[in-house]
Amino acid sequence: MWRLRRAAVACEVCQSLVKHSSGIKGSLPLQKLHLVSRSIYHSRHPTLKFQRPQLRASFQQFSSLTNLPLRKLKLSPIKYGYQPRRNFWPARLASRLLKLRYLVLGSAVGGGYTAKKTFDQWKDMIPDLSDYKWIVPDIVWEIDEYIDFEKIRKALPDSEDLAKLTPDFDKIVESLSLLKDFFTTGHKLVSEVIGASDLLLLLGSPGETAFRATDHGSESDKHYKKVSDKEKIDQLQEELLHTQLKYQRILERLEKENKELRKLVLQKDDKGIHHRKLKKSLIDMYSEVLDVLSDYDASYNTQDHLPRVVVVGDQSAGKTSVLEMIAQARIFPRGSGEMMTRSPVKVTLSEGPHHVALFKDSSREFDLTKEEDLAALRHEIELRMRKNVKEGCTVSPETISLNVKGPGLQRMVLVDLPGVINTVTSGMAPDTKETIFNISKAYMQNPNAIILCIQDGSVDAERSIVTDLVSQMDPHGRRTIFVLTKVDLAEKNVASPSRIQQIIEGKLFPMKALGYFAVVTGKGNSSESIEAIKEYEEEFFQNSKLLKTSMLKAHQVTTRNLSLAVSDCFWKMVRESVEQQADSFKATRFNLETEWKNNYPRLRELDRNELFEKAKNEILDEVISLSQVTPKHWEEILQQSLWERVSTHVIENIYLPAAQTMNSGTFNTTVDIKLKQWTDKQLPNKAVEVAWETLQEEFSRFMTEPKGKEHDDIFDKLKEAVKEESIKRHKWNDFAEDSLRVIQHNALEDRSISDKQQWDAAIYFMEEALQARLKDTENAIENMIGPDWKKRWLYWKNRTQEQCVHNETKNELEKMLKCNEEHPAYLASDEITTVRKNLESRGVEVDPSLIKDTWHQVYRRHFLKTALTHCNLCRRGFYYYQRHFVDSELECNDVVLFWRIQRMLGITANTLRQQLTNTEVRRLEKNVKEVLEDFAEDSEKKVKLLTGKRVQLAEDLKKVREIQEKLDAFIEALHQEK
């Protein structure tokens, strides 16, 4: 149609030329007419056979313009040349259009039928999935309730934005210009007409807006020539930046909606809607492996080379802020210029329905959406850090393990290290700088650790310390990611923005890196929320010259892009290295198992905790054995122990002073007074002490008694420690002394001996006590005077000078006693003088105090021998005792005294035995259980008490097995996820 109009115009021009040609009569020859005119009005001319195809081919090169709507042209009436044949061209045109309509309709009907038939065949081939509808979760059918598709449709780009993506039509303009040049050659006038018609058609087209950027004409060409290349580049960069930011906002909105949707899905899973058991996430499994490895003592050259993200930087460079932006919560303690990170903090980020945090060794969850929980979490982290730091130190290498879960979090494991310092300030330990360097190197020397190097962009790059440290650990930059913080302050303060570009590209440092990022972590106000910081960061980079001037690329800015890059790098490193680490632990396990079989073939592989449980059961069994001791055994050992404790006091302070009175009335009075005083002040306390010591001895006997072949000496230190700690904690009942005092006082008041058997028992008890004292006295005299003549001759022993003096003094005093066997217990002063002078006459110089000391032992032996003789006489005195010694010279008051003492000892032992079996044994058992529970929670105490090569080997074997099992489970889950 377009060609027909052009032909009509051309013919009209030709006829006008024929009409106005001067000097020509009649019609113009056919050969002189324009080629287009001949093609319309002279179709049977022989010269058209070779010209018509060339013309058609030339016009088909620009057939895309035929889609433009045609504009009606008013043609002037043609009055000359071939009027009869020209009147029939509308009919021919209509017939051709009708043929085209039939072809189109036929093709549409046939194509529709064929498409429907093909669709029915495909539909029949698809199986019926209605029976398997239950496999798809309910949330898929309800997805329109959670996603606003209308909002997503509005967020998609409009037609104007898509028009910018169309190709440049300058080439089309150039092609049209070439076409005009082609028609100008030989046919100048006709080409001008065709050019004018083309311009009219283009200007009249309704698709003008679609091609406004490619307007062709003399004025447009001049305009494009005036615009410089630099302005074009600036304009394109500006449009590209706006487009990127627009799509970034669209992406963020979609991700936010996706985050809410995943949260709803996870919440439904938590409620058990689909009745399926949720598996542990990959990152949680991997974090458990790292927790076990942190406690593992790397023996047999097996080191921890599993990946984790190590965050290092100078102090106050913004490490903590970057971590908080990645975790999307302010979880770390903050301080202005003060060192807050005092020990490594391992943060495991994982996805979950709720934004919560919890420690590895605690079940409490901190809700990160509530400010009070955030404050409590920061306080808890600070307390744990201070607890880890030992006295006299500033930082600690002990790691705090924290898990953070929330919708939309990138899965990874990060370790926040103390900031590197250049100078040790007041209040810090002298070795703080070296300790921080050692901790950082220990984490960075792992060949699979990803180093997140944080550099403060607001300070001079030359003041950085951490870059040198990172370049030493990773000189080729194969696992380092460089992050420039506080870019807003850097752009504001730095005079030359190109310096920031040099920092980002790593040209100012010797350090190389995998990637370079620039972030903004706030305005310096610690009370800012994470959302406010994100908005400020996005707004800053949208208006920043760093992006407008192409110093930074769009993927190098914002903490979101940083977290995505770090997460991708982390998981790539995990997939590349985890299987190699699993193989190394398999080899270590084989070595440990072989060593155990060679050294301990008949013993089970019990680690420290299992050994402790075994020892705990043995100790509790031994404590229970105390309750199985017979009452008779308790009373015997209590009575014997109590008499050993009080016998000296009874003989020295009660019996001897009363017996020396030589008067029965005075004897009984003295005994009653002294017994009353003793009962009120000392006896109950002594009895409780004896009972407590007896309980300790029996408990120790059960604890240390060898069990034959089943005895394991590896428990000896633990049992001794439990025994000492339990005894230290145990205290006897405070009311026991009061009840004992009453019972003992009543027992000592009773002087009645009911039968001859009791009388004989009292005499036997008295004889044993006196003989024991006599024996002690004989030993004391022997030590005083030295060996006798038998020992001197048989054993070649000699007396010292002092022993000779004591011997001469003893002989002199024995002469005095022989003269007066009823001599009182004390020497008079004149008697001391007589003895001294007698010794001086024999050439022995003696001191009066020496005479008194010797007299005390000599008289004591004489008195005890006399008492034993009297005790033997009283064996037949029970008859006189029943008659109260009337008409008898025999008086046995001392036997009655020992009867009273013996009865008091029996009653006291019985009372203490009841207290032991009813109360104190149970209290001791309770104390032992408490001590065992405390020891079970104190790992350092268990390491100290359960030691040895056997324990350490079993401990290493258990940990290596646990690590290998967890690694195998993690690798299997990793393959399933792929």
Side-chain angles (χ1 to χ4, degrees):
M1 200 64 188
W2 179 75
R3 285 199 291 267
L4 290 175
R5 290 200 178 193
R6 283 200 172 186
V9 175
C11 293
E12 187 178 358
V13 175
C14 293
Q15 292 184 11
S16 63
L17 290 174
V18 171
K19 181 180 178 180
H20 296 88
S21 297
S22 59
I24 298 177
K25 294 182 181 180
S27 61
L28 193 67
L30 183 61
Q31 290 80 3
K32 293 185 178 180
L33 290 176
H34 192 270
L35 183 63
V36 179
S37 299
R38 295 204 307 268
S39 66
I40 301 297
Y41 300 104
H42 314 290
S43 60
R44 292 187 177 89
H45 197 274
T47 61
L48 299 178
K49 293 181 180 180
F50 65 90
Q51 294 171 342
R52 187 182 299 269
Q54 295 177 0
L55 181 65
R56 183 172 298 175
S58 64
F59 275 94
Q60 284 177 354
Q61 295 178 3
F62 305 97
S63 60
S64 61
L65 295 176
T66 58
N67 295 326
L68 295 173
L70 298 178
R71 183 167 179 167
K72 295 182 180 180
L73 296 176
K74 293 182 180 181
L75 300 178
S76 57
I78 300 175
K79 300 179 181 180
Y80 302 99
Y82 308 98
Q83 293 280 342
R85 294 185 66 85
R86 186 188 61 196
N87 293 335
F88 292 100
W89 71 268
R92 289 196 298 273
L93 180 61
S95 64
R96 292 178 182 176
L97 291 176
L98 289 174
K99 289 181 180 179
L100 180 63
R101 181 182 64 180
Y102 291 139
L103 290 173
V104 171
L105 290 175
S107 300
V109 172
Y113 176 76
T114 303
K116 182 178 184 303
K117 187 175 181 181
T118 305
F119 174 75
D120 293 338
Q121 292 177 354
W122 287 357
K123 185 176 179 182
D124 296 337
M125 287 166 33
I126 296 174
D128 188 8
L129 300 178
S130 60
D131 296 335
Y132 302 96
K133 187 176 178 181
W134 60 272
I135 297 177
V136 182
D138 298 340
I139 189 65
V140 176
W141 311 114
E142 304 172 0
I143 195 169
D144 56 341
E145 299 179 6
Y146 305 106
I147 298 180
D148 191 354
F149 290 101
E150 183 65 24
K151 188 181 296 183
I152 297 175
R153 186 185 64 77
K154 293 181 180 179
L156 294 175
D158 53 11
S159 60
E160 295 182 359
D161 294 330
L162 293 174
K164 297 180 182 179
L165 304 176
T166 58
D168 191 3
F169 290 93
D170 289 340
K171 295 182 179 179
I172 299 176
V173 176
E174 293 176 2
S175 301
L176 291 175
S177 300
L178 292 174
L179 181 62
K180 284 195 266 185
D181 293 340
F182 172 77
F183 283 110
T184 302
T185 305
H187 308 283
K188 184 176 181 181
L189 183 59
V190 177
S191 64
E192 289 178 357
V193 175
I194 293 174
S197 63
D198 286 341
L199 182 62
L200 289 173
L201 288 171
L202 289 173
L203 291 175
S205 174
E208 178 184 0
T209 56
F211 299 95
R212 62 181 182 274
T214 59
D215 288 343
H216 46 83
S218 60
E219 294 181 0
S220 299
D221 294 340
K222 291 179 183 179
H223 176 69
Y224 278 106
K225 290 178 182 178
K226 290 181 182 179
V227 178
S228 63
D229 294 337
K230 184 178 180 181
E231 292 178 352
K232 283 185 178 180
I233 293 173
D234 294 341
Q235 185 177 3
L236 290 174
Q237 288 179 349
E238 186 73 22
E239 291 178 357
L240 179 62
L241 179 62
H242 283 293
T243 304
Q244 288 177 343
L245 293 175
K246 183 175 181 179
Y247 285 119
Q248 182 73 18
R249 286 193 293 269
I250 293 173
L251 183 63
E252 289 178 356
R253 286 199 299 268
L254 293 176
E255 287 180 348
K256 186 176 181 180
E257 293 179 358
N258 182 37
K259 176 180 174 181
E260 295 176 355
L261 177 60
R262 290 181 66 85
K263 182 178 179 180
L264 291 173
V265 173
L266 293 171
Q267 286 177 347
K268 285 193 173 184
D269 286 338
D270 285 345
K271 296 176 182 178
I273 292 179
H274 301 297
H275 303 285
R276 64 173 181 264
K277 185 178 180 180
L278 290 176
K279 294 183 178 179
K280 191 176 294 184
S281 65
L282 270 178
I283 192 64
D284 290 337
M285 297 170 66
Y286 186 75
S287 179
E288 288 181 359
V289 175
L290 295 182
D291 289 336
V292 176
L293 280 172
S294 63
D295 300 331
Y296 176 62
D297 184 12
S299 310
Y300 303 92
N301 297 323
T302 300
Q303 297 180 0
D304 174 17
H305 288 168
L306 288 176
R308 72 256 292 154
V309 181
V310 180
V311 186
V312 295
D314 299 327
Q315 185 179 353
S316 302
K319 296 187 291 65
T320 301
S321 300
V322 171
L323 279 177
E324 289 179 338
M325 291 293 291
I326 295 175
Q328 300 182 15
R330 291 192 170 275
I331 58 178
F332 292 104
R334 312 185 69 83
S336 56
E338 182 184 358
M339 178 184 289
M340 299 304 297
T341 306
R342 297 181 178 270
S343 65
V345 181
K346 181 177 75 69
V347 182
T348 303
L349 301 179
S350 59
E351 196 172 16
H354 306 288
H355 202 186
V356 296
L358 65 158
F359 292 98
K360 178 188 74 172
D361 55 353
S362 175
S363 60
R364 178 186 176 184
E365 285 190 353
F366 297 88
D367 190 350
L368 301 184
T369 60
K370 298 179 180 179
E371 188 59 36
E372 55 270 19
D373 280 20
L374 280 171
L377 176 61
R378 290 192 291 266
H379 181 65
E380 181 66 21
I381 292 176
E382 186 175 1
L383 289 179
R384 288 174 179 256
M385 286 184 180
R386 296 188 181 278
K387 182 180 179 181
N388 289 343
V389 176
K390 297 180 180 179
E391 187 177 356
C393 300
T394 306
V395 294
S396 170
E398 297 183 18
T399 305
I400 299 172
S401 183
L402 179 67
N403 293 339
V404 178
K405 298 182 180 181
L409 292 183
Q410 299 299 320
R411 303 177 301 168
M412 67 184 92
V413 177
L414 304 103
V415 182
D416 185 21
L417 300 179
V420 179
I421 61 174
N422 191 19
T423 306
V424 178
T425 59
S426 60
M428 292 185 179
D431 61 342
T432 301
K433 181 178 178 181
E434 290 75 13
T435 304
I436 294 176
F437 267 77
N438 294 334
I439 294 173
S440 302
K441 288 181 179 178
Y443 278 91
M444 288 191 292
Q445 69 184 2
N446 179 359
N448 296 321
I450 301 169
I451 304 173
L452 196 62
C453 181
I454 310 297
Q455 171 64 35
D456 189 350
S458 63
V459 299
D460 295 335
E462 292 77 9
R463 293 167 56 185
S464 176
I465 310 171
V466 72
T467 52
D468 295 334
L469 182 61
V470 173
S471 62
Q472 294 175 10
M473 297 291 105
D474 185 23
H476 302 290
R478 295 173 182 170
R479 51 190 181 90
T480 301
I481 298 176
F482 181 82
V483 182
L484 187 68
T485 60
K486 306 177 185 179
V487 184
D488 51 344
L489 300 178
E491 186 181 33
K492 180 180 179 181
N493 299 331
V494 176
S496 176
S498 62
R499 184 173 176 84
I500 300 177
Q501 185 180 10
Q502 292 177 354
I503 296 175
I504 290 294
E505 295 177 355
K507 296 180 179 179
L508 288 181
F509 304 107
M511 182 188 70
K512 298 179 182 179
L514 277 174
Y516 299 87
F517 289 86
V519 299
V520 175
T521 55
K523 302 178 182 179
N525 184 8
S526 60
S527 61
E528 287 180 295
S529 64
I530 298 297
E531 294 297 329
I533 296 175
K534 284 184 178 180
E535 293 177 1
Y536 172 71
E537 184 183 38
E538 181 181 348
E539 181 181 357
F540 167 76
F541 283 116
Q542 185 176 358
N543 302 321
S544 174
K545 296 179 181 178
L546 300 175
L547 283 180
K548 291 182 179 179
T549 57
S550 297
M551 293 185 183
L552 294 176
K553 298 179 182 179
H555 69 272
Q556 289 182 295
V557 298
T558 71
T559 51
R560 168 173 176 74
N561 290 334
L562 170 65
S563 62
L564 290 172
V566 173
S567 179
D568 292 341
C569 186
F570 169 77
W571 284 107
K572 180 181 177 182
M573 192 75 74
V574 168
R575 291 185 176 92
E576 291 175 353
S577 61
V578 68
E579 293 187 0
Q580 181 181 0
Q581 288 294 301
D583 293 338
S584 66
F585 278 104
K586 287 179 182 178
T588 304
R589 175 179 177 177
F590 176 78
N591 295 336
L592 291 173
E593 288 177 345
T594 304
E595 185 176 0
W596 181 273
K597 291 178 182 177
N598 294 333
N599 294 327
Y600 311 102
R602 298 182 180 179
L603 294 178
R604 289 180 56 199
E605 301 165 0
L606 299 179
D607 62 0
R608 185 171 282 110
N609 291 331
E610 292 172 338
L611 287 172
F612 182 83
E613 289 298 324
K614 183 178 179 182
K616 177 181 177 181
N617 294 331
E618 289 187 6
I619 293 171
L620 292 177
D621 291 341
E622 290 161 358
V623 173
I624 294 174
S625 299
L626 284 174
S627 60
Q628 299 177 358
V629 177
T630 61
K632 181 179 179 181
H633 178 74
W634 277 121
E635 292 183 9
E636 287 178 355
I637 58 176
L638 285 170
Q639 187 171 351
Q640 182 180 357
S641 300
L642 182 59
W643 172 243
E644 290 176 357
R645 179 67 60 88
V646 301
S647 60
T648 302
H649 181 82
V650 171
I651 299 297
E652 301 293 336
N653 298 330
I654 298 177
Y655 173 65
L656 290 179
Q660 292 171 5
T661 58
M662 301 301 176
N663 189 327
S664 61
T666 308
F667 178 87
N668 292 331
T669 303
T670 304
V671 166
D672 291 340
I673 294 173
K674 291 186 176 296
L675 287 177
K676 181 69 168 59
Q677 294 175 351
W678 182 47
T679 305
D680 292 339
K681 296 180 179 180
Q682 300 179 9
L683 183 57
N685 187 24
K686 293 290 183 182
V688 170
E689 289 181 1
V690 167
W692 177 216
E693 291 176 1
T694 303
L695 179 61
Q696 294 180 29
E697 291 174 359
E698 289 297 306
F699 179 53
S700 301
R701 182 173 64 84
F702 281 107
M703 293 281 286
T704 59
E705 190 176 33
K707 304 298 187 296
K709 295 181 179 180
E710 298 180 357
H711 178 70
D712 196 346
D713 56 358
I714 202 170
F715 299 143
D716 292 346
K717 291 177 64 177
L718 176 61
K719 290 181 177 180
E720 185 66 23
V722 171
K723 182 192 73 172
E724 293 178 357
E725 184 65 24
S726 302
I727 290 172
K728 186 186 299 182
R729 296 186 183 184
H730 185 77
K731 292 183 179 179
W732 205 272
N733 192 354
D734 296 333
F735 301 102
E737 292 186 10
D738 297 335
S739 59
L740 275 175
R741 184 176 291 107
V742 175
I743 293 171
Q744 290 169 348
H745 182 72
N746 294 333
L748 291 173
E749 287 290 330
D750 187 9
R751 297 183 179 88
S752 61
I753 301 176
S754 58
D755 54 13
K756 182 71 168 54
Q757 185 178 2
Q758 293 179 355
W759 180 268
D760 293 338
I763 292 176
Y764 179 76
F765 176 65
M766 179 179 175
E767 283 182 345
E768 282 190 342
L770 295 179
Q771 286 177 357
R773 291 298 160 181
L774 180 59
K775 185 177 180 180
D776 294 338
T777 305
E778 293 286 353
N779 292 332
I781 293 174
E782 184 178 356
N783 293 330
M784 184 184 296
I785 65 174
D788 56 5
W789 64 273
K790 289 182 180 180
K791 291 182 179 180
R792 289 199 302 270
W793 282 97
L794 295 176
Y795 300 106
W796 294 82
K797 294 182 179 181
N798 295 320
R799 289 174 176 173
T800 62
Q801 184 65 31
E802 184 179 359
Q803 288 176 343
C804 292
V805 173
H806 277 290
N807 185 47
E808 293 294 335
T809 307
K810 178 185 76 75
N811 294 333
E812 188 67 26
L813 292 173
E814 285 180 346
K815 293 176 183 179
M816 184 183 299
L817 278 175
K818 286 181 180 180
C819 297
N820 185 11
E821 291 184 356
E822 295 182 359
H823 194 286
Y826 301 99
L827 286 174
S829 57
D830 56 344
E831 292 176 333
I832 295 174
T833 303
T834 302
V835 172
R836 184 166 62 85
K837 288 181 178 182
N838 292 337
L839 292 173
E840 287 178 355
S841 65
R842 295 198 299 267
V844 179
E845 295 290 335
V846 66
D847 189 79
S849 59
L850 188 144
I851 297 173
K852 292 181 180 179
D853 294 338
T854 307
W855 169 255
H856 176 73
Q857 298 298 333
V858 172
Y859 180 82
R860 182 185 182 88
R861 183 176 63 178
H862 170 73
F863 177 81
L864 291 174
K865 288 181 178 181
T866 305
L868 284 172
T869 303
H870 180 71
C871 181
N872 191 24
L873 294 174
C874 289
R875 288 183 181 276
R876 300 182 297 270
F878 180 70
Y879 172 75
Y880 299 104
Y881 166 74
Q882 290 180 329
R883 298 180 60 184
H884 303 289
F885 301 104
V886 177
D887 298 331
S888 175
E889 296 180 358
L890 183 65
E891 293 182 359
C892 298
N893 295 317
D894 47 358
V895 176
V896 176
L897 170 62
F898 278 94
W899 158 250
R900 296 165 66 182
I901 299 295
Q902 186 182 29
R903 189 167 182 273
M904 181 272 300
L905 292 175
I907 294 175
T908 303
N910 181 269
T911 305
L912 293 175
R913 189 266 305 168
Q914 292 178 2
Q915 293 180 358
L916 280 172
T917 55
N918 295 336
T919 307
E920 302 304 327
V921 171
R922 295 180 182 177
R923 292 178 60 203
L924 179 62
E925 182 179 353
K926 181 180 178 182
N927 290 337
V928 171
K929 290 180 179 179
E930 292 177 355
V931 171
L932 288 172
E933 290 176 358
D934 294 342
F935 283 7
E937 296 176 357
D938 192 348
S939 58
E940 294 182 359
K941 183 75 73 175
K942 288 192 289 186
V943 171
K944 182 179 178 181
L945 298 176
L946 294 173
T947 57
K949 181 181 178 181
R950 169 186 158 192
V951 180
Q952 191 61 43
L953 187 59
E955 193 75 11
D956 292 343
L957 187 54
K958 176 196 174 184
K959 289 183 179 179
V960 169
R961 284 174 176 168
E962 184 180 2
I963 293 169
Q964 184 193 347
E965 291 173 359
K966 290 183 179 295
L967 274 176
D968 291 342
F970 173 74
I971 292 171
E972 183 180 356
L974 193 63
H975 291 328
Q976 290 178 358
E977 187 180 71
K978 284 183 180 181

